Amino acid sequence: MNAHIPPPSKAPEPRRHGRKRPRNTTKGRQVEPDALLDVQNLLGDRPRKRDLLIEHLHLIQDKYGHLSARHLAALAFEMKLALTEVYEVATFYAHFDVVKEGEVAPPPVTVRVCESLSCAMAGAEKLLAELPGKLGPDVRVMRAPCMGACDRAPVCAVGHVQTFSANTATVVAAAKNMPHVHPWHPAKSFEQYRVEGGYTLLKSCLAGERTRDDIIKAVDDAGLRGLGGAGFPTGRKWKLVRNEPAPRLFAVNADEGEPGTFKDRHYLGLDPHRFIEGMLIAAWVVEAVETYIYIRDEYPELRLMLLEELARVEQAGLSPHTKLHLRRGAGAYICGEESAMIESIEGKRGLPRHRPPYLAQVGLFGRPTLEQNVETMYWLRDIIERGTDWFTSQGRHERKGFRSFSVSGRVKTPGVKLAPAGITVRQLIDEFCDGMTDGQTFKAYLPGGASGGILPASMADIPLDFGLLEKHGCIVGSHAVVILSEQDDMKTVAINLMRFFEDESCGQCTPCRVGTEKAVKLMEQGPWDTALLTELSTAMQDASICGLGQAAPNPLLCVLKYFPEDLRKPLGTW
């Protein structure tokens, strides 16, 4: 048997003086001079700091409609970063279109159709089926997660400008005209806000007429809690941060991405300076030398508005104690998690951190950091000026205060409803939403958005507030309430929600990354194996790093527990 004889190898290049011939170029992708000039012109005199990477990627994306390999290499060179650092960040976020070498750039216009629960119920699948044929090859149609407009479902976005209609003709007209983003004009301007007494409280704090301890006591007495979902007592958080060594920082979470949630959008558009004044007071209390506001990319008009309004505040000399920064998200639900948001502000992928240490100890740029939600800051001025009795006099079922409920689904008048804390969903529907949509019978509800679980109508008299739903396998979270009717199949609802978690998982930990994927496959294939799905859910809840993986099984487990009759039916559609 003849042995295999390998082909002769290529003769080595001759060496000069015993050394290998040097390369004509550096290793890696070469930077093209014209691409580098493009990037330099876009960045102008902006700092080339590492934490501004996402902001600079947005500049390129906005200008060219995508991120080409040549521009990524040029940006890496200009910022003195490894190309892999730039590439991993650019490919992490959904709103960045990375075009690899040899790939075709996307069409100039992209239409995103929200497929999250409220929009799916209102006809998103019909839009997804009809739009590609009506828009033609020059427009890309994509599925997208919640855009924070559940009260106007179904919602599409041309670029990132939202349009609201189940009529495809409306979306087609918007796509062909490619609407431009214009700053939102708030219902209450800076001048009007000041005429009505705005910023008087802040000035009294800065002038030393009030003490930090007085402000903390007022917040404590009112029982104000974090309204982004966790419900942590605000005053206690301030004390924890203040006990840490200076310099301290402040990060404001305006990245509400929970399907069903849109209250921050409502308050920012309604009266942004009430939020800004509360934020500046909180920064003064914890002595934060810098304040970062992280706003979701799905709200482009609000971002432009905040840029203008924050500039007015600075010009008026109202923020001498803290430097203000506005940072733009890029389409990642995970960045609503506080530590993932911190990573994103630093210009990195939004990967949640392991804890401890907590953000109050080691947060943004390694410094003690206060993290708060938009709505929490919005009520701060009213609580202090009107007194704690004004706030605590609200409430039902032995709860105190009021809550902002984002209500969508099968009700006549969806929207943000300011209601007493402890109200039940039945009262919320009847008193604040004018009842169910005509012809619909109340069947079930999500008390806290996609991660809050699902409860049947027979449990509609449970007060909606922190700490009251956990024993039922649910959470109230950010108070996003989605109402379902008899025409909604609970298995289809649970699959929609689990697909969202699968798509939005950051991929850092195996229980969440693999668990959500396997759960979707098992749920879609059917029949549902209760024991297997329960075991998989337990693994996700016990071993996931952050709340996304820990809460993802909530809707699934609720369907198994509360809707056994739906398990025997074929999978429904909308």
Side-chain angles (χ1 to χ4, degrees), residues 456-469:
S458 60
M459 300 175 69
D461 296 316
I462 301 172
L464 297 174
D465 206 16
F466 298 110
L468 300 180
L469 299 175

Side-chain angles (χ1 to χ4, degrees), residues 131-376:
L131 283 174
K134 295 191 176 184
L135 290 171
D138 293 333
V139 177
R140 177 177 55 166
V141 178
M142 298 177 61
R143 292 177 178 269
C146 186
M147 298 180 188
C150 316
D151 53 333
R152 293 176 281 180
V155 59
C156 299
V158 180
H160 292 302
V161 180
Q162 295 179 0
T163 177
F164 313 99
S165 177
N167 186 339
T168 55
T170 303
V171 183
V172 171
K176 290 185 177 179
N177 291 301
M178 191 56 184
H180 297 286
V181 181
H182 297 286
W184 181 277
H185 297 293
K188 188 170 291 186
S189 67
F190 176 58
E191 292 76 15
Q192 183 183 0
Y193 182 75
R194 295 194 69 177
V195 167
E196 296 177 359
Y199 291 111
T200 301
L201 175 60
L202 172 64
K203 287 181 178 180
S204 69
C205 292
L206 296 178
E209 297 170 7
R210 295 176 182 265
T211 69
R212 292 176 171 85
D213 288 338
D214 287 342
I215 301 296
I216 292 176
K217 184 178 186 304
V219 170
D220 273 337
D221 291 346
L224 181 64
R225 306 178 72 157
L227 298 172
F232 193 85
T234 301
R236 191 190 310 172
K237 181 182 284 190
W238 289 0
K239 293 174 188 175
L240 291 172
V241 174
R242 286 194 67 205
N243 287 334
E244 297 297 323
R248 293 178 282 273
L249 304 178
F250 184 13
V252 180
N253 193 337
D255 191 58
E256 58 176 359
E258 181 79 18
T261 304
F262 44 90
K263 60 188 177 65
D264 290 351
R265 183 204 75 200
H266 171 79
Y267 287 121
L268 285 174
L270 179 68
D271 193 358
H273 288 281
R274 193 169 298 273
F275 150 71
I276 294 172
E277 183 171 11
M279 175 187 72
L280 291 174
I281 292 170
W284 173 78
V285 169
V286 301
E287 299 176 84
V289 294
E290 295 188 72
T291 297
Y292 290 78
I293 307 165
Y294 186 87
I295 187 166
R296 67 184 312 203
D297 201 30
E298 288 84 352
Y299 298 164
E301 70 288 348
L302 293 180
R303 181 180 64 83
L304 293 176
M305 177 272 291
L306 281 176
L307 278 173
E308 293 187 358
E309 300 307 318
L310 291 173
R312 289 189 174 96
V313 167
E314 290 177 325
Q315 291 166 4
L318 294 169
S319 59
H321 56 300
T322 187
K323 185 176 180 181
L324 300 177
H325 306 268
L326 184 63
R327 291 294 173 85
R328 179 179 175 184
Y333 164 72
I334 190 64
C335 290
E337 196 276 337
E338 59 179 11
S339 65
M341 178 189 68
I342 294 298
E343 291 286 301
S344 190
I345 292 174
E346 293 180 358
K348 305 172 188 174
R349 294 175 293 167
L351 302 180
R353 296 178 180 179
H354 292 269
R355 286 168 286 190
Y358 297 93
L359 295 191
Q361 303 163 310
V362 181
L364 189 57
F365 306 119
R367 300 306 311 162
T369 302
L370 173 67
E371 187 272 343
Q372 297 277 206
N373 161 263
V374 166
E375 193 198 354
T376 308

Side-chain angles (χ1 to χ4, degrees), residues 393-408:
S393 64
Q394 313 289 323
R396 298 182 185 178
H397 301 103
E398 301 180 353
R399 313 301 286 189
K400 294 182 179 181
F402 45 74
R403 301 286 184 261
S404 299
F405 293 90
S406 304
V407 186
S408 62

Side-chain angles (χ1 to χ4, degrees), residues 440-454:
Q440 306 282 346
T441 302
F442 181 33
K443 177 180 180 179
Y445 65 104
L446 279 65
S451 59
I454 310 172

